[in-house]
Amino acid sequence: MIRNQTPLNNNETLSCGKVSTFATAFLLYQTLELSAMTNLFSPWRKWLLLTTGFFSISFLFSCSETPNSPVGADIPGSSDNPDDSDKSEDSESPDIHMAMPNILIIITDQQSYNTISAHASLFPGSVYATTPNIDRLVRSGVSFTRAYCANPVSVPSRFSLFTGVYGARFGVRENKCSEADETAIRKIQQTHSLGTVFRNAGYETLYGGKVHLPFAAVKGGSKFAAPVTYGFDNYYTADERKGLAAATANLIREKGEALTEVSGDAPVKPFLMVASFLNPHDICVESSANLSPEVPDDAKDPEKAATIRMMRERLSAINPVEFYEKHAPQLPFNKEKPKDYPATGCSKKRFLDYPDDYWRRYRWIYGQLVSLVDSHIGEVLDALDAQPDLKKNTLIVFTSDHGEMQGAHNTVTKSMPFDECQRVPFIFAGWGITGERIDNTPVCNGVDLLPTLCELSDIDLPEGLDGISLAPIIKGRDKVKTTATRKYLYSESETFISVLHNEYKLSYFDLDGQHSLLVDLSKDRGETQNIASFNKEMVDKLKQVIEER
């Protein structure tokens, strides 16, 4: 159900327009009185009529220069902070004729939280990619810089992003979905899927790019089919790279041009559009090749290998001395395997023994892939900038399904119990949001996205969601009240479940039921020391939380 975007408060005072109607009538009365004056009127009576007439004219003049807005109207982006009320005349605000905001969700694949150049000061020594276009969103939006994914592999993470629930409830903990409950998933698709919720609320739903969602088609188990079961009626392109950027930009231009043909008060149907890019996921090809001079082919997607070969050619064209002195990222500060890491038999990831120069080459290639997808995102943002009427009514969300280890702890890719692959960018910009804000509240992009978008769009929430709405924080309101309902934050995996409580993070390898990794992030942000052996009380407490969730 769609509700009005700007409801009036019950205690609203008289608007300027209402009072001006009264003032007009009163001014007419004064004019007739003055024109009919005779000596019967005393000087005091003449003075009173002239004074009240002057007041009426002054009030009408002031109303002509003041927008007639409802007092106390609750609009997105409003703030109780008086410092936020002084906006520039050209600051963008939602169009009151737009019942709901358009929503553009931009998703990348395997992009870590510490890959945005505008956030370099937040993570000293860790950011080496250049992202001028994502930076544009940072400069004009709200960045949640402690956002965890629901699961640091694609399919379970995306399932949460598009349903608002954790995958483990439905047997979705790894990409193959070998234990997935199809019946339960198809039921949740009908009630909780992002596209379905917004389509039922009157939105046009469009999806382009990588899908990787369980049971995306009406029949069969395909994870790469058009995501119709998640409520998206228009799968406008299957391209996951530059072609996706072009197709999304073209759609935005069409939407903007169509908007210019709509009369001022005519209702406009909002859209929910997803642009799901593949990169920097191609780093998986580099991790497969690693020290070999040969890059393995992928028959299903030859562009993956072609992209890595292109990156390697760029690297080889740089003088080696110059490359390591000026271009190659430094080694991660937490390069070594954590002390007392559990000897769990269920962990499928290996700690790798590569030479330092290869790790720096690996990180450089990853940074190049981040910059590549950033250029594609820039094409989409440029198209939106070229349609100002459309842009001011469009909320933009940027995030990724999971991160990349980047050589931290001598590991690559994903599905590890470390922040490099568990934490992701999570940015809201556009409609109703002004200025740059950084928020370090621990959140989960997977389960928090759906309730947040529902509240921002004034749509009823499905029941049984696992996340919370971040809308009050985005609007600049009560952060404490918003986060008070969450004591624990989870990130699942095929072999472990992590729980974050205050500054402690416990990763419990539940498949073998014996091993735990406990870190104190307030003292050890690099997760270099497992303190489980001498903090048994905290381990037992958080293990119980995991088992009872």
Side-chain angles (χ1 to χ4, degrees):
M1 136 181 187
I2 295 183
R3 304 191 188 98
N4 192 303
Q5 174 181 301
T6 54
L8 303 183
N9 295 338
N10 291 331
N11 61 348
E12 179 188 5
T13 60
L14 284 175
S15 68
C16 184
K18 293 175 184 176
V19 179
S20 65
T21 302
F22 170 81
T24 302
F26 191 78
L27 178 59
L28 179 61
Y29 166 76
Q30 305 306 316
T31 304
L32 293 174
E33 284 278 64
L34 287 170
S35 65
M37 275 187 179
T38 66
N39 291 332
L40 296 176
F41 292 116
S42 67
W44 179 88
R45 169 70 165 162
K46 295 177 183 177
W47 177 85
L48 177 62
L49 291 174
L50 288 170
T51 302
T52 54
F54 176 79
F55 164 78
S56 301
I57 294 172
S58 300
F59 188 86
L60 284 171
F61 182 78
S62 66
C63 281
S64 69
E65 294 188 337
T66 304
N68 182 15
S69 58
V71 176
D74 185 12
I75 62 170
S78 62
S79 173
D80 295 331
N81 185 351
D83 294 335
D84 294 338
S85 61
D86 186 18
K87 307 296 182 185
S88 62
E89 292 183 1
D90 61 350
S91 64
E92 295 174 353
S93 59
D95 186 342
I96 61 173
H97 301 307
M98 198 76 177
M100 290 292 161
N102 301 310
I103 299 173
L104 172 62
I105 303 175
I106 301 173
I107 303 174
T108 58
D109 194 320
Q110 206 156 320
Q111 184 171 352
S112 296
Y113 74 99
N114 57 358
T115 58
I116 299 175
S117 47
H119 287 162
S121 62
L122 301 176
F123 314 113
S126 297
V127 180
Y128 52 87
T130 303
T131 56
N133 297 296
I134 299 172
D135 291 354
R136 291 155 64 180
L137 299 177
V138 173
R139 301 301 185 205
S140 61
V142 181
S143 297
F144 290 93
T145 54
R146 291 191 70 189
Y148 284 79
C149 61
N151 188 313
V153 290
S154 289
V155 175
S157 176
R158 289 166 183 266
F159 177 73
S160 293
L161 280 167
F162 287 95
T163 61
V165 294
Y166 281 104
R169 290 172 53 183
F170 304 89
V172 181
R173 289 183 64 173
E174 38 82 28
N175 280 342
K176 292 182 179 179
C177 299
S178 55
E179 298 181 3
D181 185 340
E182 180 177 355
T183 301
I185 289 173
R186 292 202 180 278
K187 184 177 180 180
I188 207 76
Q189 287 171 339
Q190 298 172 18
T191 57
H192 286 60
S193 62
L194 182 63
T196 299
V197 170
F198 276 76
R199 182 182 62 195
N200 291 344
Y203 273 72
E204 179 185 6
T205 55
L206 310 98
Y207 194 110
K210 182 171 182 176
V211 179
H212 225 193
L213 288 165
F215 307 105
V218 175
K219 294 182 179 181
S222 175
K223 297 182 284 290
F224 297 96
V228 292
T229 57
Y230 290 83
F232 290 93
D233 296 326
N234 183 350
Y235 184 42
Y236 61 91
T237 181
D239 193 283
E240 302 171 350
R241 301 170 184 269
K242 187 172 178 59
L244 170 61
T248 306
N250 186 56
L251 268 176
I252 289 172
R253 281 189 289 270
E254 290 177 0
K255 297 291 183 186
E257 291 167 1
L259 195 62
T260 62
E261 300 174 1
V262 177
S263 60
D265 294 324
V268 178
K269 187 172 185 176
F271 63 78
L272 168 68
M273 185 185 301
V274 175
S276 178
F277 290 95
L278 175 64
N279 269 313
H281 183 275
D282 284 346
I283 195 63
C284 290
V285 178
E286 174 59 35
S287 69
S288 297
N290 53 74
L291 299 178
S292 172
E294 301 297 326
V295 177
D297 286 314
D298 186 333
K300 294 182 179 180
D301 189 353
E303 198 165 354
K304 290 181 178 179
T307 301
I308 294 302
R309 291 189 185 108
M310 177 183 68
M311 297 302 177
R312 285 188 167 197
E313 289 171 2
R314 288 182 185 175
L315 192 157
S316 63
I318 305 173
N319 178 276
V321 174
E322 178 186 349
F323 175 76
Y324 289 108
E325 286 184 353
K326 297 183 179 180
H327 303 288
Q330 295 300 315
L331 296 171
F333 73 96
N334 54 348
K335 177 180 175 293
E336 301 305 320
K337 179 180 177 179
K339 186 177 180 181
D340 296 327
Y341 186 84
T344 171
C346 66
S347 178
K348 295 182 178 180
K349 293 291 178 181
R350 296 179 299 123
F351 295 92
L352 304 169
D353 186 21
Y354 293 151
D356 288 352
D357 61 345
Y358 176 72
W359 281 123
R360 296 182 68 188
R361 293 199 303 272
Y362 182 91
R363 286 162 65 82
W364 182 87
I365 290 174
Y366 180 68
Q368 293 293 298
L369 293 171
V370 171
S371 296
L372 176 63
V373 74
D374 178 81
S375 69
H376 298 157
I377 293 169
E379 185 174 349
V380 174
L381 298 182
D382 288 345
L384 191 58
D385 285 346
Q387 306 293 334
D389 288 337
L390 186 71
K391 179 182 177 182
K392 69 181 179 181
N393 285 305
T394 300
L395 173 68
I396 307 168
V397 182
F398 172 71
T399 194
S400 191
D401 56 357
H402 56 80
E404 153 65 37
M405 288 304 300
Q406 308 171 61
H409 309 298
N410 286 313
T411 60
V412 296
T413 66
K414 50 205 170 186
S415 198
M416 294 290 285
F418 301 116
D419 278 7
E420 282 79 8
C421 66
Q422 290 179 311
R423 283 172 62 184
V424 292
F426 198 29
I427 304 170
F428 290 77
W431 182 77
I433 302 171
T434 56
E436 177 182 357
R437 277 189 287 138
I438 301 297
D439 191 283
N440 64 355
T441 304
V443 301
C444 176
N445 72 331
V447 296
D448 292 345
L449 177 63
L450 178 56
T452 300
L453 291 181
C454 284
E455 182 172 348
L456 289 173
S457 305
D458 209 7
I459 295 174
D460 289 338
L461 291 176
E463 295 181 357
L465 295 175
D466 288 333
I468 63 174
S469 171
L470 307 176
I473 299 177
I474 293 169
K475 293 178 180 180
R477 294 182 185 161
D478 196 339
K479 173 178 175 177
V480 175
K481 184 178 180 181
T482 300
T483 57
T485 58
R486 171 179 278 159
K487 290 182 64 177
Y488 306 101
L489 186 73
Y490 303 95
S491 183
E492 301 171 338
S493 174
E494 179 183 4
T495 59
F496 62 85
I497 296 177
S498 296
V499 57
L500 187 72
H501 176 59
N502 296 330
E503 292 301 321
Y504 285 102
K505 186 173 83 171
L506 176 77
S507 296
Y508 174 52
F509 292 86
D510 61 323
L511 285 192
D512 62 14
Q514 301 176 40
H515 303 289
S516 298
L517 171 67
L518 180 69
V519 293
D520 182 350
L521 294 172
S522 67
K523 301 175 181 177
D524 182 18
R525 71 180 182 92
E527 300 172 287
T528 61
Q529 171 72 55
N530 183 7
I531 60 174
S533 61
F534 46 89
N535 202 332
K536 189 175 183 302
E537 182 178 351
M538 182 60 67
V539 171
D540 291 343
K541 173 185 176 179
L542 296 181
K543 278 176 63 176
Q544 184 176 357
V545 167
I546 290 173
E547 291 169 348
E548 294 178 353
R549 65 188 282 256

